[in-house]
Amino acid sequence: MEIEEAREVRTTCPYCGVGCGVLAKVAADGQVSVRGDPDHPANFGRLCSKGSALAETVDLDGRLLHPEIHGRRAGWDEALDLVASTFSQTIAEHGPDSVAFYVSGQLLTEDYYVANKLMKGFIGSANIDTNSRLCMASSVAGHRRAFGADTVPGTYEDLELADLIVLVGSNLAWCHPVLYQRIAAAREKRPEMKIVLIDPRRTMTADIADMHLAIAPDGDVALFTGLLAYLGQHNALDRAYITAHTNGFGQALFAASALDLAGVAAATGLSEDELGRFYSLFAATAKTVTVYSQGVNQSSSGTDKVNAIINCHLATGRIGKPGAGPFSVTGQPNAMGGREVGGMANMLAAHMEIENPEHRDRVQRFWNAPTIAQKPGLKAVEMFQALADGRIKALWIMATNPVDSMPDADAVEAAIKACPFVVVSDVLAQTDTVRHAHVRLPAAAWGEKDGTVTNSERRVSRQRAFLPVPGEARPDWRIVAEVGKRMGFGEAFSHATPAEVFAEHAALSGFENDGARDFDIGAYAGVDAERYEALEPFQWPAPSTTGRQPVRFFANGNFYTPDRKARFIAIRPTTEVRTSPDYPLILNTGRIRDHWHTMTRTGKSPRLSQHIAEPFVEIHPADAQRFGIGDADIVRVSTPRGEVLVRALVTARQRQGSLFAPMHWTDQFAAKGRLDALTAPLTDPVSGQPALKHVAARIEKFAAKAFGFAVMRQRPAHVAAAYWAVAKCKGGWRVELAFADDDIDWAGFAGSLFGAPPGAEILAYHDRDAGQHRIAAFDGDQLSGALFVAPGPVAVSRGWAAEQLSADHFDRRGRLAIVAGRPGGIDVDRGAIVCSCFGVGANQIAEAVRQGCGSVAAIGAALHAGTNCGSCRAEIRVIVDAQILQAAE
């Protein structure tokens, strides 16, 4: 594909489920720039910090560019023949359930569709599951139990029309920043809008909340069954809606009444006053949207949580109406598309049910398939357990990194290593999962491939290529189709373009669909390449029949159950104590603002590591005192399954008795940061989604004898330290360090770390009695690397030190400033970066406040901080308030 000068291509962001439109421009010299698409109805031009930095992630560093077999380069024909023959032979010898695909919400719908078709219709097994099982399977299960289908009733517009937004288990400000900003903008126009945050942590989302309910872990079922009981007791029900459009209300209300208000308070850790204020606000506000995410889904009671929320909306008739409804926001860019094509082990294509013989027959006839899966396959956790015990003998992993993201991750890694045949399709040559593959297949990345994705409000958007496909990489749908051909199914996998795959997917959605199925995009069944290229974002349903379709579901009933009525689910709240004297704390895992999944993309961006560059754990000050932990100490967090070494962040935002740590760090970026090695394979009994937010753990201070920080031009090949965490920075790399021993040849360590060239000028400062060592190496006018060592956490400014890699160092005074570890002359220390979009640091914000900027808006006007994605605005407010308070003392 030729690169056209300054051509701007409309595409879609590859991160979360908001599905923001992106305009990508490629200049004549190949430089890529991105901006938000002002015409896309998901974001109207907004992008978060991750989306804004996409241009920094499209380089070819570390890319897998050629097929490999057992570590040697191979041709595509040899690799594909081996994959096809090995899967075919395994099936012949052990049956179709002896093979499996583990796929990803990072795949495009066309990729997902072909993989699901091959596994379920031609191999004849349902052993295809996805990392989406880890993020939204409980929402799927809850929707299907209540509505009869996996239907998201509302739209993003409802967030702007609501009078009350209830955010449950969602740090929207960091995990879905563009939706957060849409709500914030609506709130500015209508200050009477109320927002309630329900989360054990006081996250940055609390900045916008009128009420923060710091609920106990997994207290959500009790909270919302208590709400249902309250609605019944206070005559706040829509009895006409209940009678006309639902079943099972009496049983659900009876079950919800098992706990009185005092019992709910005990189960949730909230006061009766807090409960009363929240319940009365919900009861009195007709236009209410309840937004929920991983704090609800990633639980052993996740499906019950979803249905407890839905019960309250059904009971009040607040569903499918402008500004009212339950709303699941998804974590991945195409988790919804995967659900649509049936890319989960317990689903068929086009929202049809694998348990339904009529649905199985319909899909088999449409595909003209020799067989069809007769029963649900193995869900993600079950799949890797089957891999461990030998039931699965050939596994194909696509676009995901289960060695880091699956619960009980060490056991998952051991199972993959022991599997007789593992294929991995990925864009990177080295990940913690790719390293165990017998066959590595190079996949096209974002910006190189064409297809569609579906966001959280059922909006289908195009991802378009704007870069040439490098090396021998291929799109995933084409790789899978080629294997299908080689397995003897050539006619069924003869697609020449992604447009043909999408047209088939659309046609199946409308096939024999008389309105009894929710997912219908039959209007696009005949799409050709030209129409596909020009495809505008659209919401389903979009059936082949003419006429405008409603954008919301269920305002007037018409659910997808056999009697077309919604089902209330009777739920009795239960409590489970997982802590013990040995593991007295609850570990909650999650995401941070500027990184994504296992950092295979965001780890390439210097900008995105400025905010947080190493693994950490949040701990309440009282717990920190109890366990003898200080701020910035290195600590060991452990469970019966494993341990990690991370930095301690002592903060009152964390709930006492609980810990929070992010899941992003891998062996590629840290010495011992794979957090999901700590989590258990405990799953929700209905959805199969693992409980990643309620893990019994303990914490102890790591006895570090020395701490270090280093910057260098080249990524270190090996770091001889008990604790290390490496991050990309402008001009090179930065590394955090901690050592179990301080009897170290620091000059030799620095040399091995930097890889300084022969003849490099070395400047050093050593105070052995104080444990202070500072070493810098210069290659001509450029800094090759600098190492700072201290007996406690190193106080040098990380941002300033990293900037020295890009600066010229002509004079000795400037070089000595580096060894001194502090800016000299006119150099400015921006401090810790708060605004990644504009590179604004805490010191700059504090100084602006001292100069008269007394609000977040004033900081934005002066420094631009917080004016792009806005996800840093809460942190800016903290700094502003602290400076104002300090000035008043």
Side-chain angles (χ1 to χ4, degrees), residues 26-89:
V26 184
D29 63 359
Q31 292 295 309
V32 176
S33 60
V34 300
R35 63 187 179 97
D37 184 349
D39 298 322
H40 197 288
N43 60 313
F44 298 106
R46 297 180 179 93
L47 287 180
C48 73
S49 58
K50 293 184 289 291
S52 298
L54 276 167
E56 298 179 13
T57 69
V58 295
D59 61 58
L60 299 184
D61 290 350
R63 284 292 297 272
L64 179 62
L65 297 175
H66 309 282
E68 295 180 3
I69 298 174
H70 298 296
R72 66 168 176 85
R73 181 170 171 176
W76 269 110
D77 285 338
E78 182 187 8
L80 293 170
D81 286 346
L82 178 60
V83 173
S85 63
T86 304
F87 269 76
S88 295
Q89 182 178 350

Side-chain angles (χ1 to χ4, degrees), residues 90-289:
T90 303
I91 293 164
E93 293 178 1
H94 303 285
D97 287 337
S98 65
V99 301
F101 294 168
Y102 186 64
V103 297
S104 167
Q106 300 288 296
L107 292 176
L108 302 184
T109 298
E110 292 75 7
D111 306 324
Y112 250 132
Y113 179 85
V114 175
N116 185 60
K117 180 181 179 180
L118 176 58
M119 179 55 76
K120 290 189 178 136
F122 291 82
I123 290 175
S125 171
N127 281 350
I128 176 171
D129 212 48
T130 166
N131 61 7
S132 298
R133 179 72 59 188
L134 311 182
C135 76
M136 34 50 60
S138 292
S139 288
V140 174
H143 289 161
R144 293 177 72 181
R145 288 208 300 188
F147 307 148
D150 177 23
T151 312
V152 175
T155 72
Y156 292 162
E157 183 186 38
D158 294 327
L159 303 176
E160 297 161 328
L161 298 176
D163 294 326
L164 171 63
I165 296 176
V166 183
L167 302 172
V168 191
S170 169
N171 186 6
L172 210 66
W174 276 21
C175 298
H176 300 92
V178 170
L179 290 187
Y180 177 83
Q181 287 308 311
R182 287 186 65 165
I183 292 171
R187 174 76 169 271
E188 288 182 6
K189 294 177 182 178
R190 293 193 298 116
E192 66 275 13
M193 176 193 286
K194 301 295 182 185
I195 299 171
V196 176
L197 174 66
I198 300 169
D199 196 306
R201 303 164 60 218
R202 185 172 179 82
T203 65
M204 289 301 168
T205 303
D207 182 64
I208 202 174
D210 299 282
M211 185 187 307
H212 171 220
L213 302 179
I215 195 168
D218 280 341
D220 311 84
V221 170
L223 179 68
F224 282 94
T225 54
L227 174 58
L228 182 64
Y230 180 95
L231 296 171
Q233 294 161 4
H234 291 79
N235 197 29
L237 304 170
D238 187 336
R239 295 194 178 276
Y241 189 91
I242 292 170
T243 301
H245 302 304
T246 73
N247 285 319
F249 173 70
Q251 297 93 320
L253 184 62
F254 178 78
S257 302
L259 290 180
D260 59 13
L261 194 63
V264 175
T268 60
L270 303 172
S271 69
E272 292 186 30
D273 178 66
E274 288 176 307
L275 292 170
R277 287 188 290 118
F278 169 55
Y279 286 175
S280 63
L281 180 62
F282 188 102
T285 312
K287 296 176 73 173
T288 296
V289 175

Side-chain angles (χ1 to χ4, degrees), residues 497-500 502-503 524-535:
T497 66
E500 293 180 13
F502 181 79
Y524 297 91
V527 69
D528 58 17
E530 182 178 357
R531 188 180 171 201
Y532 183 74
E533 176 59 29
L535 191 67

Side-chain angles (χ1 to χ4, degrees), residues 364-718:
Q364 185 174 2
R365 283 187 290 107
F366 180 87
W367 280 342
N368 193 25
T371 184
I372 195 76
Q374 297 293 307
K375 65 183 188 300
L378 297 171
K379 299 168 185 173
V381 170
E382 299 168 333
M383 181 180 290
F384 287 97
Q385 290 171 338
L387 195 69
D389 64 28
R391 283 175 289 157
I392 290 177
K393 302 179 186 301
L395 174 67
W396 190 347
I397 299 168
M398 305 178 200
T400 187
N401 198 4
V403 167
D404 297 315
S405 57
M406 283 291 296
D408 200 11
D410 284 347
V412 168
E413 181 170 33
I416 292 173
K417 290 170 67 175
C419 181
F421 190 66
V422 176
V423 182
V424 177
S425 304
D426 210 314
V427 301
L428 291 184
Q430 288 296 328
T431 72
D432 291 355
T433 299
V434 168
R435 64 190 177 191
H436 302 304
H438 300 100
V439 179
R440 304 175 184 182
L441 301 176
W446 180 82
E448 301 161 4
K449 59 183 181 178
D450 275 300
T452 57
V453 292
T454 306
N455 73 1
S456 295
E457 63 165 353
R458 295 175 278 106
R459 190 175 300 279
V460 179
S461 299
R462 286 276 279 112
Q463 270 195 19
R464 294 180 174 89
F466 55 88
L467 293 170
V469 179
E472 296 182 78
R474 293 182 178 180
D476 291 280
W477 69 266
R478 183 182 169 197
I479 298 172
V480 178
E482 288 294 333
V483 170
K485 292 176 185 177
R486 285 165 167 78
M487 293 180 73
F489 312 123
E491 185 177 345
F493 296 93
S494 61
H495 315 90
T497 66
E500 293 180 13
V501 180
F502 181 79
E504 181 180 318
H505 164 56
L508 175 56
S509 76
F511 182 58
E512 297 179 358
N513 191 348
D514 58 359
R517 304 199 307 272
D518 63 336
F519 178 66
D520 189 345
I521 58 171
Y524 297 91
V527 69
D528 58 17
E530 182 178 357
R531 188 180 171 201
Y532 183 74
E533 176 59 29
L535 191 67
E536 295 286 331
F538 70 90
Q539 278 182 296
W540 59 263
S544 56
T545 54
T546 58
R548 180 177 174 83
Q549 297 296 316
V551 297
R552 296 176 179 86
F553 285 86
F554 310 140
N556 299 305
N558 204 27
F559 294 88
Y560 293 97
T561 56
D563 64 2
R564 306 309 293 260
K565 290 188 174 185
R567 294 182 286 238
F568 279 93
I569 305 299
I571 302 166
R572 289 186 179 273
T574 59
T575 57
E576 180 180 357
V577 178
R578 295 182 188 163
T579 54
S580 67
D582 288 335
Y583 298 97
L585 301 171
I586 292 297
L587 173 64
N588 173 13
T589 73
R591 296 174 177 169
I592 60 173
R593 191 187 79 187
D594 291 353
H595 277 305
W596 173 255
H597 283 198
T598 59
M599 294 168 60
T600 51
R601 180 181 290 114
T602 56
K604 287 174 165 279
S605 167
R607 181 192 325 187
L608 295 179
S609 288
Q610 291 182 114
H611 184 238
I612 297 174
E614 62 181 323
F616 68 92
V617 62
E618 288 184 358
I619 182 171
H620 189 274
D623 291 324
Q625 183 177 23
R626 174 186 173 190
F627 294 104
I629 291 167
D631 203 22
D633 279 346
I634 302 300
V635 296
R636 179 183 286 109
V637 180
S638 57
T639 73
R641 296 181 181 274
E643 64 179 42
V644 293
L645 291 178
V646 295
R647 185 81 67 179
L649 174 59
V650 180
T651 173
R653 287 179 170 270
Q654 180 57 254
R655 178 186 174 88
Q656 190 170 348
S658 293
L659 307 170
F660 170 82
M663 50 78 70
H664 307 294
W665 274 266
T666 71
D667 286 350
Q668 309 300 313
F669 293 96
K672 205 171 181 63
R674 291 174 50 247
L675 192 72
D676 277 313
L678 277 61
T679 57
L682 175 67
T683 62
D684 178 278
V686 181
S687 70
Q689 182 159 354
L692 301 177
K693 292 185 170 291
H694 191 164
V695 182
R698 66 182 176 217
I699 190 170
E700 58 188 319
K701 183 175 179 177
F702 174 70
K705 296 291 184 62
F707 292 77
F709 172 72
V711 295
M712 64 216 68
R713 301 189 70 80
Q714 302 296 324
R715 178 169 181 157
H718 173 70

